[in-house]
């Protein structure tokens, strides 16, 4: 955070400080009752279940939204908390929601100041929306019992617009300040994303109403946010990612996009990132000897072995043919070597039943090996193309050295590929 430009740092600190002042000044406005504690517990439980069910979708969305506002459905639970809870408990819901997202979506990758800032903007937005509800109903939280008739509906709509609008403006300002060289239009994001927050506010109102009238129906209503997240957002980003149909890994185009975004983020945060290039040894012999159907089964088995061997926040893609790539955010040379060796060991343990057995060929393919090249940003290179080329050349070094091994690329700017004594 301290490496931010001075105007950006000043803006972030001011917003954080205003949020802290707001929390302190509203702490004693509404008494905390046993009922409000129960509601708070139910809302927190709903938030946890919701994000756990959709964390993989949210991880892709959040990384893909880098440089634009990230519209998320956590507002469902935050807005429900605004309508029902005293300000201190509403703040607890916000804090838990963003902390949970940082741990499970961001995987604790050095961006906590962004989560703190986002939480601060939401606290200020909730305070402003709460003031609108107080002015419209003449009462403090819980507001739901007093939102009746046309006046109640007007106050609710106005509070929702204020909640979204203030939060949106505060985030847009910091994005514009942090990216002076990028087109301002990009900072505003996709207009369709605005519907996500408005839908979240609407569902949050429904949850708050159910909790005050028939709280035992909450588990049934919780299907709505999870279905909304999976049913509306997953297809959108599956289409964007175009996952590889054969292995179910990320397709090359989307993996490259994620890798470039992650390297840009690593540069901004003075962090690190690693790239693995994995090549199955003698794969052509498997295709020629056992058939392409067997080769496809091998590819799927290797993909599963790689996916099960990496860390939770890593990105695994198929790069083409029998080559796979892994992006490891925030990794060091020692860590990437450890992950790479774990992958190599997992591949060596694979046993693949052959779908169509040819005369004289085994029913199960075993003894698979892989040559793995590793490169680390910024130790090996600071530019995406050179970093990936370094990992690719390290694969050829591994093959030239006898295969079934991991080679860590050294720092370089111009890369040459060693001669390989025999066919791959």
């Amino acid at each position: 955070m301290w490496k931010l430009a001075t105007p950006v740092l000043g803006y972030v600190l001011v917003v954080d400080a205003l949020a802290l002042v707001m929390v302190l000044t509203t702490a004693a406005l509404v008494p905390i009752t046993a009922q409000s504690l129960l509601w708070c517990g139910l809302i927190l439980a709903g938030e946890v279940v919701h994000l756990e069910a959709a964390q993989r979708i949210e991880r892709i969305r959040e990384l893909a939204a880098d440089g634009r506002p990230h519209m998320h459905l956590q507002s469902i639970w935050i807005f429900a908390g605004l309508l029902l809870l005293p300000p201190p408990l509403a703040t607890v819901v916000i804090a838990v929601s963003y902390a949970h997202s940082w741990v499970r979506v961001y995987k604790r990758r050095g961006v906590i100041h962004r989560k703190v800032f986002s939480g601060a903007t939401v606290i200020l937005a909730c305070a402003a929306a709460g003031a609108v509800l107080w002015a419209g109903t003449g009462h403090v939280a819980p507001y739901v019992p007093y939102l009746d008739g046309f006046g109640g509906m007007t106050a609710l709509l106005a509070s929702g617009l204020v909640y979204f609008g203030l939060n949106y403006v505060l985030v847009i300002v910091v994005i514009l300040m942090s990216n002076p060289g990028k087109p301002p239009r990009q900072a505003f994001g996709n207009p369709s994303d605005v519907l996500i927050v408005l839908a979240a506010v609407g569902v949050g109102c429904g949850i708050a109403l159910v909790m005050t009238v028939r709280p035992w129906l909450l588990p049934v209503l919780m299907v709505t946010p999870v279905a909304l997240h999976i049913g509306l957002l997953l297809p959108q980003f599956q289409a964007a990612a175009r996952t590889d149909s054969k292995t179910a890994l990320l397709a090359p185009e989307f993996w490259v996009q994620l890798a470039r975004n992650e390297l840009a983020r690593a540069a901004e945060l003075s962090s690190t990132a690693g790239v693995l290039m994995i090549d199955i040894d003698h794969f052509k012999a498997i295709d020629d000897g056992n058939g392409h159907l067997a080769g496809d089964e091998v590819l799927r088995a290797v993909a599963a072995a790689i996916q099960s061997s990496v860390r939770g926040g890593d990105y695994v893609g198929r790069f083409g043919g029998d080559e796979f790539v892994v992006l490891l955010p925030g990794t060091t040379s020692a860590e990437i070597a450890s992950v790479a060796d774990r992958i190599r060991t997992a591949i060596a343990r694979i046993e693949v039943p052959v779908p169509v057995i040819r005369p004289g060929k085994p029913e199960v393919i075993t003894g698979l090996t892989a040559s793995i090249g590793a490169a680390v940003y910024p130790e090996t290179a600071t530019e995406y193309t050179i970093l990936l080329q370094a990992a690719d050349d390290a694969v050829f070094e591994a093959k030239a050295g006898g295969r079934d091994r991991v080679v860590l690329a050294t720092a370089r700017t111009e890369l040459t590929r060693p001669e390989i004594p025999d066919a791959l």
Side-chain angles (χ1 to χ4, degrees):
M1 182 179 71
W2 302 110
K3 294 182 179 180
L4 294 173
T6 301
V8 179
L9 177 61
Y11 178 78
V12 169
L13 292 177
V14 167
V15 172
D16 290 348
L18 287 175
L20 180 60
V21 170
M22 188 61 63
V23 170
L24 295 176
T25 55
T26 59
L29 288 180
V30 183
I32 296 176
T33 64
Q35 180 67 74
S36 63
L37 288 173
L38 175 61
W39 284 338
C40 183
L42 291 173
I43 290 173
L44 289 176
E47 184 279 328
V48 169
V49 171
H50 176 196
L51 189 59
E52 286 299 311
Q55 59 156 309
R56 296 188 68 179
I57 308 169
E58 202 62 17
R59 189 178 303 135
I60 293 175
R61 293 189 65 246
E62 192 146 11
L63 185 58
D66 197 39
R68 301 187 301 273
H70 173 52
M71 309 294 184
H72 53 71
L73 290 175
Q74 289 170 278
S75 292
I76 290 174
W77 309 102
I78 293 172
F79 201 76
L82 166 67
L83 294 175
L84 293 175
L85 304 178
L89 294 184
T91 301
V92 168
V93 171
I94 296 170
V96 170
S97 179
Y98 278 91
H100 187 197
S101 174
W102 180 62
V103 172
R104 297 296 287 161
V105 175
Y106 263 93
K107 297 293 181 180
R108 301 186 291 271
R109 292 207 305 271
V111 290
I112 190 170
H113 72 273
R114 293 187 179 183
K115 286 296 179 185
V116 171
F117 174 79
S118 297
T121 64
V122 173
I123 288 173
L124 294 175
C126 284
V132 172
L133 289 168
W134 174 79
T137 63
H139 294 82
V140 294
Y143 299 105
V144 174
Y146 310 105
L147 294 173
D148 195 19
F150 181 78
M153 181 190 71
T154 302
L156 184 60
L157 291 175
S159 68
L161 291 175
V162 168
Y163 168 82
F164 166 74
L166 181 57
N167 186 22
Y168 186 70
V169 169
L170 291 173
V171 172
I172 289 294
V173 170
V174 77
I175 292 176
L176 291 173
M177 293 175 66
S178 302
N179 301 277
K182 293 184 178 180
R185 183 178 179 180
Q186 180 178 332
F188 292 90
N190 297 321
S192 60
D193 287 344
V194 174
L195 296 176
I196 294 175
V197 176
L198 297 180
V201 169
V203 176
C205 293
I207 287 177
L209 179 62
V210 166
M211 290 178 64
T212 57
V213 180
R214 295 289 187 274
W216 55 271
L217 286 175
L218 183 61
V220 178
L221 190 59
M222 277 184 60
V223 175
T224 302
V226 175
L228 186 64
H229 216 144
I230 295 175
L232 296 180
L233 302 181
L234 182 55
Q236 173 187 349
F237 282 90
Q238 279 182 329
R242 294 190 300 274
T243 54
D244 178 62
S245 59
K246 191 166 291 185
T247 63
L249 299 178
L250 296 178
E253 298 84 359
F254 191 63
W255 186 91
V256 169
Q257 178 186 338
L258 289 177
R260 290 185 181 277
N261 288 348
E262 191 60 51
L263 290 179
R265 177 174 291 176
E268 180 182 347
L269 300 174
S270 299
S271 184
T272 61
V275 171
L276 293 178
M277 182 77 75
I278 303 162
D279 190 282
I280 305 173
D281 295 326
H282 303 297
F283 181 74
K284 188 175 186 301
I286 297 174
D287 256 355
D288 292 344
N290 299 89
H292 292 290
L293 292 178
D296 290 347
E297 292 298 324
V298 168
L299 290 176
R300 279 188 279 270
V302 170
I306 296 172
Q307 190 74 69
S308 64
S309 301
V310 299
R311 308 169 305 171
D314 298 335
Y315 301 95
V316 182
R318 185 182 178 200
F319 203 67
D322 59 326
E323 287 187 320
F324 301 85
V325 280
V326 183
L327 173 67
L328 303 95
T331 192
T332 63
S333 296
E335 290 170 340
I336 196 173
S338 175
V339 173
D341 197 60
R342 192 161 63 238
I343 292 171
R344 185 190 62 81
T345 302
I347 291 174
R349 294 173 178 165
I350 291 175
E351 296 182 356
V352 184
V354 178
V356 179
I357 302 172
R358 291 185 172 181
K361 296 296 181 180
E363 298 181 7
V364 178
I365 296 175
T366 59
L368 294 170
T369 62
S371 298
I372 304 177
V376 179
Y377 169 92
E379 181 180 321
T380 306
T382 57
E383 199 271 328
Y384 164 79
T385 303
I386 297 177
L387 187 70
L388 193 66
Q389 186 65 59
D392 191 35
D393 280 5
V395 170
F396 279 80
E397 291 180 27
K399 289 184 177 295
R403 298 181 175 82
D404 190 23
R405 63 192 61 209
V406 176
V407 172
L408 182 63
T410 56
R412 61 188 80 180
T413 54
E414 294 183 3
L415 304 173
T416 58
R417 181 166 291 170
E419 293 295 329
I420 302 174
D422 55 350
L424 299 184

